Amino acid sequence: MSSARARQRQLDELVEVLASSTCRGLVLTGEAGIGKTHLAAALLDRFATSGRPVKRLGALGSDSMPLDALSRVVSPHEAYSGLTPTVSLKRLLEHDSDTAVFMIDDADRLDGVSVETLVEVAVAGLAQLIVTIRTGAPVPTSIERALTNGALARVEVRPLGPTDTAMVAEGVAGCRLSASATAAVHRLTKGNPLYVRELLLAAIEEGALRLDRDVATLDRLPAASERLTDLLEHRLASLTPHERGVLDRIALVGDVGHDEIMRFAGADTLESLERRGLLRSVLDGRRLRFELAHPLHAEIVRSTESSMRSRCVRSEHAEHIRSYGMRRGGDQLRLAAWSLEGIGAVDASVLWEGARMAAAGSDLALAQRLAQAAFDAEPSVLAAQLLGARQLAAGDFEAMKDLFSRWEALVVTPVERATFEEIYTQAWYWRGFDASMIDRLLDGLDGWPDPTSRSQAQSAAAALLVSSGRIDEAVALASELGDLPPGPTAVLTGMTLGHGWRSQGMPIAAEASVAATLELYRSISVDAYLLSAVALAGLQIQSLADAGRFAEIDEIVATRSQSWHDLGDTSNLALANLAIGYSWLLRGDDVRARELAVAAVAGFERNRHPGMRRWALILHALANAEAGHVDDAERELTQLAAQRDHPAQLFATSLARARAWVAVHQGRVAESVGLLVDAATTAISFGNVAGAIDCLHDLTRHGRFSDAAAVLATIDAEAIARLEGEFHAARIAHTQAAAAGDVAGLGRCMRRFDALSMSHLAAACADAAALLSSSNREAQRWLGESAQRRRLGASRLDSVLATGGLTRREREVIVLAAQGRTSREIANELGISLRTVETHLSNAYPKLQVDGRAGLIALAALGSA
């Protein structure tokens, strides 16, 4: 649901509450900046539009001045005429035909007489009240009494959810934000609209937002900016020096247990801070701990506090932990991290354990620093293994090369050797572009002295084989391993089989394998260091997409995506974006596919992962090429051609398809046929049946029916018999019907793609039927079927545009955006700046009650349903 729709629904609910004969007003409560005043003002505007008399009140000065707020309603002559304020106000309101509505902002700051008067008038039925009170502020006695007897209703204003937070942030930024940026903003602000706005404005002022092809990434947190420090000072202005000191200490040392906090804060102080929404107590198992209520507060304090003060506070806290023992789970991590700042020395075992805990908590940069410190302090195989895994994940290849020589000298047992070989070959294959690493593993298989180490090396070899596109070899090698005990080798093997079976055209078996592997992964420790649950979920999404089970993909994304962002692992998040983008491309939504491909490219760039960055660029090129954005596709293809080739060739058929689509759009049909036939032939030779079907189906979509049928005939009958899922079956049926000139069969295929929610492929079936029709009339009917599936629902969109209150320029921008045009393309066509386009879109989305581009496309697509 869009932010505009959520606000509209909330306003409707509040109006319904006020319509009750017994309700004389609402009291909106919530933390500072949560949006109480905006909501109350919108409600007041709603009543003003309906013709009711309204008045907004707030403190003009000191709350000790009687009738301060009412001076804007009752004249001084009436106020001091000898009548009570209530009687004066009642006489004034009795002349109104409609019940007046008063908005009282920050009721705790109004003078008591004004509040008492307004409540009495409301209870008497002459007015209704809309009151806002900040969480933790004292509630005036008259309002508390009215809440108790039911005359006023209390409504808690909740923080924004992730989607609405993203909408507010993008509205402030004037452009789309990357998935990692929106996740960081929501995590830091916890959905507080004021904090979202101030954080984005600070990022803009400090140059912390980096724009890349219409998508902005938050490069760093501008916590020390003047804007954010002023925000914090204003929020904490009413605190005593002691209360402020308590918050600063917790910000500097992190959450603290009950016994620890009682050393420097009394119960009254803790109660006061918690009541004001600044401190939060959490029951963690059997232990009570305290933390700052807002992560942004902690970030600002840590960024602005002097290094001397920080060291003093942390040194004192570290001494306390050492004196009483590391009793809480995070104590080792805390001491290890502080030791990097020179705050006390710790054993190598504490550094190593801290590195493992940091990795488990997805603080990957800290994990790498701690692992390096542990290895430097006491070189060991375990420390090297952890450090190597972190360097590999960060793409720090030069550091890895230095580590390998020192690590190899420590290796003693076969299992230690196998772990070394696994990370060594992964590093040189992925970061060193070295395809010979596969042969290094394969040639050494017979030399392993025990089954455990051989299985680990064999699993690593199979994983590299599948990423290189040698599918049949990879599946055969992984299948030989049989049932493995729970552990990293079993996880890696399960993922390899998932990739292999999916490429062989068995997405259902692949998804089952990955689902089982995910369950296994969750049951073991974080030592499954070369993979993550996010990467496994990405493969699960790809498998479900090939099976045509898109509803399950939507469920996975809806329930897990926020946790993926929260992990902060940009490389694995990029893999997830790549998989989700692929699923949208299959559904014909090139806009979302391109956006996610851009996010994936950025993620792989940050982690210096050239092979997978290449995969993301290929997806971006293919999405542009299929959509007919030839210039954009050529730009990506030129970039790919200029790069050093990589042995990870799993997406080689997708690259050939992108080139073929560009060739078709440019009229070079023979070239496109050659590209697709060659790619399909190569894919078949390596067992990549799904990739071959992708290519032959593109030939069918391009009208090259006999060429597509010829490629299909080269696929082994046994491989065809193994195919799973309606998607593969429908594409083969489409090719066969088109090659046979079977118009009725093409109609059946069209309906099969309709059932899969692939209207663009259903339209392709109708196009082929029109081409093969025996009469003009029949051809026109099929072209009508095609147009119905291809059109963006113009009649539905036009009706909404006509009543949406858009300006002329907003309408022009929205129509082009609904056609799938990028912001840059719209800017070029209309002759306006990119920022202006984004501004028009941000202004138009709430008017149309849609949630960004995706919501606009969905609205437009309603007409073709």
Side-chain angles (χ1 to χ4, degrees):
M1 175 181 295
S2 72
S3 180
R5 287 185 180 180
R7 172 61 61 85
Q8 188 72 26
R9 188 186 69 173
Q10 194 169 24
L11 287 174
D12 290 341
E13 291 173 351
L14 294 179
V15 169
E16 188 175 341
V17 172
L18 283 171
S20 168
S21 59
T22 59
C23 182
R24 304 312 309 160
L26 299 171
V27 179
L28 306 180
T29 62
E31 63 184 67
I34 202 65
K36 304 181 298 297
T37 300
H38 286 294
L39 185 60
L43 192 57
L44 197 70
D45 289 343
R46 172 81 71 89
F47 286 119
T49 302
S50 68
R52 289 179 63 177
V54 301
K55 181 66 71 174
R56 178 170 175 171
L57 304 177
L60 291 175
S62 171
D63 60 2
S64 62
M65 296 176 61
L67 298 178
D68 183 12
L70 282 182
S71 64
R72 282 161 286 177
V73 181
V74 180
S75 68
H77 172 75
E78 293 169 323
Y80 295 100
S81 62
L83 301 174
T84 66
T86 303
V87 173
S88 297
L89 185 57
K90 283 182 177 180
R91 284 189 174 183
L92 185 65
L93 296 176
E94 284 171 351
H95 297 295
D96 292 329
S97 57
D98 291 317
T99 304
V101 182
F102 290 95
M103 173 182 163
I104 310 175
D105 199 20
D106 289 331
D108 56 293
R109 299 179 57 208
L110 263 67
D111 65 281
V113 177
S114 291
V115 175
E116 180 81 32
T117 299
L118 289 166
V119 171
E120 288 183 15
V121 168
V123 171
L126 295 175
Q128 286 187 304
L129 305 181
I130 305 171
V131 182
T132 72
I133 300 179
R134 179 185 298 182
T135 298
V139 180
T141 303
S142 56
I143 292 179
E144 190 68 65
R145 187 166 56 246
L147 286 168
T148 301
N149 63 31
L152 298 180
R154 187 192 303 268
V155 176
E156 180 74 17
V157 180
R158 301 291 181 183
L160 301 175
T163 300
D164 288 340
T165 297
M167 281 200 67
V168 172
E170 290 176 354
V172 175
C175 62
R176 290 186 60 80
L177 297 183
S178 68
S180 59
T182 55
V185 170
H186 185 67
R187 176 179 60 81
L188 289 167
T189 64
K190 298 182 73 173
N192 183 302
L194 174 64
Y195 291 177
V196 173
R197 178 178 179 277
E198 293 300 312
L199 176 60
L200 264 296
L201 289 175
I204 294 170
E205 291 171 357
E206 299 289 316
L209 273 185
R210 175 170 53 85
L211 191 63
D212 182 17
R213 294 175 189 164
D214 302 352
V215 178
T217 300
L218 189 62
D219 280 342
R220 56 187 171 82
L221 176 66
S225 71
E226 184 177 352
R227 177 179 289 275
L228 290 182
T229 53
D230 287 348
L231 174 68
L232 180 65
E233 292 302 323
H234 177 75
R235 182 74 174 89
L236 307 183
S238 63
L239 298 184
T240 66
H242 176 65
E243 290 172 333
R244 177 63 185 265
V246 170
L247 289 183
D248 287 351
R249 178 179 287 267
I250 296 174
L252 293 172
V253 304
D255 60 356
V256 295
H258 179 267
D259 292 342
E260 298 167 78
I261 202 171
M262 293 304 291
R263 292 187 305 112
F264 55 84
D268 291 344
T269 299
L270 298 180
E271 182 182 352
S272 172
L273 292 173
E274 191 164 13
R275 186 179 64 251
R276 298 189 213 185
L278 299 171
L279 191 66
R280 192 165 72 101
S281 59
V282 180
L283 189 60
D284 188 359
R286 297 175 62 185
R287 293 182 179 274
L288 185 64
R289 59 181 176 83
F290 293 83
E291 61 185 23
L292 294 195
H294 287 283
L296 188 60
H297 289 178
E299 292 286 352
I300 297 171
V301 171
R302 285 194 288 268
S303 298
T304 56
E305 190 62 82
S306 70
S307 58
M308 181 64 71
R309 164 71 173 162
S310 299
R311 288 176 62 84
C312 288
V313 171
R314 288 170 176 169
S315 295
E316 179 188 338
H317 199 75
E319 187 59 37
H320 173 76
I321 293 174
R322 294 189 189 97
S323 300
Y324 288 86
M326 292 177 279
R327 296 182 295 176
R328 295 197 304 129
D331 286 344
Q332 291 190 76
L333 174 57
R334 210 173 312 197
L335 290 181
W338 291 345
S339 73
L340 299 179
E341 303 173 18
I343 302 175
V346 295
D347 294 337
S349 61
V350 175
L351 291 167
W352 184 81
E353 186 60 33
R356 290 185 74 251
M357 294 173 71
S362 297
D363 192 341
L364 305 183
L366 177 60
Q368 184 173 343
R369 292 176 62 208
L370 290 173
Q372 183 71 64
F375 185 76
D376 292 342
E378 189 177 304
S380 68
V381 169
L382 286 177
Q385 177 180 319
L386 185 59
L387 177 58
R390 296 278 52 84
Q391 289 175 341
L392 179 61
D396 196 349
F397 187 49
E398 292 303 315
M400 294 198 73
K401 288 190 286 187
D402 177 65
L403 170 68
F404 285 140
S405 59
R406 301 172 65 191
W407 180 0
E408 190 170 17
L410 299 170
V411 170
V412 177
T413 69
V415 171
E416 291 174 350
R417 167 63 62 179
T419 300
F420 171 81
E421 285 293 317
E422 183 176 3
I423 295 184
Y424 181 89
T425 54
Q426 289 262 7
W428 277 99
Y429 176 87
W430 285 109
R431 265 63 183 204
F433 297 79
D434 193 344
S436 70
M437 290 297 105
I438 298 176
D439 294 330
R440 173 178 172 134
L441 288 169
L442 292 174
D443 293 345
L445 286 182
D446 293 334
W448 293 101
D450 66 283
T452 301
S453 54
R454 180 194 166 95
S455 294
Q456 187 172 352
Q458 185 168 332
S459 179
L464 294 186
L465 279 169
V466 82
S467 71
S468 70
R470 294 159 62 179
I471 305 304
D472 284 345
E473 292 176 80
V475 170
L477 200 61
S479 298
E480 286 178 7
L481 294 172
D483 292 331
L484 293 166
T489 300
V491 171
L492 185 60
T493 302
M495 189 168 191
T496 298
L497 287 172
H499 274 302
W501 288 337
R502 174 184 163 268
S503 298
Q504 288 180 332
M506 298 186 291
I508 297 174
E511 193 279 329
S513 172
V514 177
T517 303
L518 269 168
E519 288 302 314
L520 172 63
Y521 183 92
R522 296 185 183 109
S523 70
I524 63 177
S525 72
V526 295
D527 291 330
Y529 44 84
L530 293 180
L531 294 171
S532 81
V534 184
L536 288 166
L539 175 55
Q540 186 179 28
I541 287 169
Q542 288 178 295
S543 302
L544 288 169
D546 281 357
R549 290 155 57 181
F550 298 114
E552 293 175 59
I553 294 175
D554 293 340
E555 178 66 21
I556 290 172
V557 173
T559 57
R560 302 186 204 168
S561 62
Q562 187 58 48
S563 64
W564 298 341
H565 292 301
D566 291 344
L567 287 174
D569 185 343
T570 54
S571 184
N572 283 302
L573 181 59
L575 273 175
N577 284 330
L578 183 65
I580 301 167
Y582 169 77
S583 76
W584 282 113
L585 183 61
L586 292 194
R587 287 192 251 191
D589 192 334
D590 63 280
V591 175
R592 286 199 241 195
R594 294 200 308 267
E595 289 176 351
L596 288 160
V598 168
V601 169
F604 291 133
E605 281 178 349
R606 287 185 62 187
N607 283 73
R608 292 170 281 184
H609 208 313
M612 291 185 181
R613 180 182 180 276
R614 184 177 179 83
W615 290 355
L617 281 171
I618 290 171
L619 174 64
H620 196 200
L622 180 57
N624 274 319
E626 280 202 41
H629 303 303
V630 177
D631 290 344
D632 291 336
E634 283 194 311
R635 183 186 64 242
E636 305 298 337
L637 292 172
T638 300
Q639 188 177 352
L640 285 162
Q643 292 176 353
R644 181 181 176 185
D645 202 13
H646 197 279
Q649 295 292 311
L650 185 59
F651 283 76
T653 54
S654 296
L655 178 57
R657 292 175 62 208
R659 289 171 174 158
W661 275 99
V662 169
V664 164
H665 287 305
Q666 294 177 337
R668 297 179 283 114
V669 178
E671 181 183 336
S672 74
V673 172
L675 285 166
L676 291 170
V677 170
D678 289 347
T681 302
T682 302
I684 292 168
S685 70
F686 287 121
N688 187 359
V689 180
I693 294 174
D694 288 338
C695 293
L696 69 88
H697 194 241
D698 278 355
L699 285 167
T700 302
R701 294 168 69 186
H702 298 166
R704 307 296 296 189
F705 305 148
S706 58
D707 293 318
V711 172
L712 180 58
T714 64
I715 302 177
D716 183 77
E718 186 177 338
I720 294 292
R722 286 200 307 261
L723 292 175
E724 298 175 341
E726 178 65 5
F727 178 48
H728 290 322
R731 290 192 294 172
I732 288 177
H734 180 189
T735 298
Q736 291 172 332
D742 182 1
V743 175
L746 287 168
R748 290 191 292 273
C749 291
M750 180 184 71
R751 288 186 286 276
R752 291 173 79 169
F753 284 122
D754 281 339
L756 289 169
S757 298
M758 295 176 168
S759 58
H760 64 302
L761 297 184
C765 293
D767 289 339
L771 186 65
L772 297 169
S773 293
S774 58
S775 70
N776 230 0
R777 183 174 180 180
E778 184 183 8
Q780 288 300 319
R781 182 176 70 81
W782 285 112
L783 288 175
E785 294 282 358
S786 173
Q788 181 183 356
R789 286 159 176 79
R790 289 190 188 279
R791 68 190 177 94
L792 288 170
S795 60
R796 167 62 176 159
L797 183 60
D798 284 346
S799 66
V800 176
L801 290 176
T803 58
L806 302 182
T807 65
R808 178 184 61 81
R809 184 63 90 182
E810 284 171 355
R811 180 185 174 88
E812 291 173 344
V813 170
I814 282 293
V815 168
L816 291 173
Q819 295 171 0
R821 310 287 284 278
T822 67
S823 294
R824 192 171 298 281
E825 290 170 340
I826 297 171
N828 291 338
E829 179 157 338
L830 298 180
I832 57 179
S833 71
L834 182 64
R835 184 64 176 266
T836 300
V837 171
E838 295 294 348
T839 299
H840 285 316
L841 289 173
S842 297
N843 292 337
Y845 291 151
K847 296 179 182 179
L848 298 177
Q849 298 184 6
V850 297
D851 190 357
R853 283 184 182 268
L856 177 64
I857 297 296
L859 172 65
L862 288 175
S864 62

